[in-house]
Amino acid sequence: MTTRIDTRFAELKKQGRAAFVTYVMAGDPDITTSLEIVKALPKAGAEIIELGIPFTDPMADGPSIQAAGLRALKGGMTLKKTLELVRAFRKDDNATPLVLMGYYNPIYIYGVDKFLADAKSAGVDGLIVVDLPPEEDDELCIPALKAGLNFIRLATPTTDDKRLPAVLTNTSGFVYYVSIAGITGAAAADANVVGEAVARIKRHTGLPICVGFGIRTPEAARAIAEKADGSVVGTALVDALKNSLDAEGRATAKTVNAVAELTAALAQGVKAAKQAAE
């Protein structure tokens, strides 16, 4: 099984550079604008897109992404509509890898088998489900792999060498290294500390390692891209979106461009990491 994620990392490896991975919340601030934003991301330089599944109790997310989820839910976003958004995106883009990121509850309610079939047919490439540990692999991870989807696991600063093999078992696509202990958007990532962590994880796996949480600027994205196989930015993009909304929290003429412009600047930072390494 070769997914779009595997293909994209193989392409980037040949070019000798890291991936720029973006995260946005599906349905934020409304379904129509959200689709426009997702369509704009690859044109602005995003090489992999993580799409958040709105959920009422997002325990790993900081205030910005929690608020994004609530805006999406208020606008009527559901898991079914998230898959419809993916399907609409795929009409014009069959190459950009798309990962759904969220929590198990909405998937469980939807029905695992139905969800995996619908996600695959819509054009989803991988899943990040933050509240399912390796001990629960039979719930979703193994069925997802059988359905042809990558199952991407999180490793954190507290994932020691004893725990790491369990985390990496059945993981595919890439490993998502959480650069800080805490919630999204809470602190800045330290590139040197991240570099040591990435080197340690690479001793256990040949999978690409992408680093997220705490990357907000092109400079930070570049510094991480010099140490890892990918830089992941979410909160900064969600904040750019929020700051473009009107007083009632509705999209304005600036909303899509606000996210696209920051994406382009961050993408340049990641691409500059290759130049620095040459």
Side-chain angles (χ1 to χ4, degrees):
M1 178 188 80
T2 301
T3 65
R4 292 182 187 90
I5 297 170
D6 302 324
T7 301
R8 180 56 48 95
F9 276 112
E11 290 166 354
L12 291 167
K13 190 173 183 180
K14 281 182 188 172
Q15 296 170 31
R17 64 185 186 88
F20 176 43
V21 185
T22 56
Y23 170 97
V24 291
M25 180 66 70
D28 179 28
D30 61 73
I31 295 168
T32 302
T33 307
S34 181
L35 177 58
E36 288 180 34
I37 289 169
V38 177
K39 284 182 173 181
L41 291 173
K43 297 183 183 82
E47 281 137 347
I48 297 172
I49 298 170
E50 292 176 3
L51 199 55
I53 302 170
F55 182 49
T56 51
D57 191 22
M59 60 192 177
D61 296 318
S64 293
I65 291 176
Q66 282 192 26
L70 291 175
R71 284 193 299 270
L73 291 168
K74 186 180 175 185
M77 201 58 174
T78 62
L79 181 50
K80 185 171 185 284
K81 289 177 181 175
T82 299
L83 295 178
E84 288 170 4
L85 188 154
V86 173
R87 200 178 292 277
F89 171 78
R90 282 282 174 240
K91 287 178 182 174
D92 301 315
D93 188 324
N94 198 40
T96 304
L98 222 157
V99 176
L100 294 186
M101 184 171 187
Y103 300 84
Y104 184 47
N105 184 276
I107 296 169
Y108 177 76
I109 298 297
Y110 193 98
V112 168
D113 291 343
K114 180 172 169 36
F115 166 74
L116 292 173
D118 291 353
K120 182 68 177 175
S121 69
V124 173
D125 301 294
L127 304 174
I128 301 173
V129 183
V130 299
D131 55 348
L132 273 184
E135 289 75 15
E136 306 292 338
D137 272 2
D138 288 341
E139 285 282 329
L140 182 64
C141 174
I142 302 297
L145 295 174
K146 287 179 179 172
L149 296 169
N150 289 130
F151 199 86
I152 297 146
R153 194 90 67 185
L154 302 180
T156 73
T158 57
T159 308
D160 59 20
D161 284 333
K162 187 177 178 184
R163 177 65 174 166
L164 203 50
V167 169
L168 295 171
T169 300
N170 299 322
T171 297
S172 67
F174 63 91
V175 178
Y176 188 131
Y177 180 69
V178 177
S179 68
I180 55 172
I183 54 176
T184 56
D190 183 319
N192 290 325
V193 173
V194 165
E196 292 169 9
V198 168
R200 180 172 67 87
I201 297 167
K202 280 188 176 290
R203 290 197 288 271
H204 293 263
T205 181
L207 288 170
I209 299 166
C210 296
V211 177
F213 285 48
I215 304 169
R216 300 186 66 91
T217 65
E219 294 75 21
R222 173 179 176 167
I224 295 299
E226 286 170 356
K227 306 286 186 181
D229 301 301
S231 292
V232 187
V233 179
T235 298
L237 295 172
V238 170
D239 283 344
L241 184 157
K242 175 183 171 285
N243 293 336
S244 76
L245 303 178
D246 68 16
E248 277 74 47
R250 293 181 301 232
T252 67
K254 299 176 182 175
T255 298
V256 176
N257 279 345
V259 179
E261 285 170 10
L262 179 55
T263 299
L266 290 159
Q268 283 305 116
V270 173
K271 283 174 182 165
K274 181 195 174 191
Q275 292 152 14
E278 284 176 346

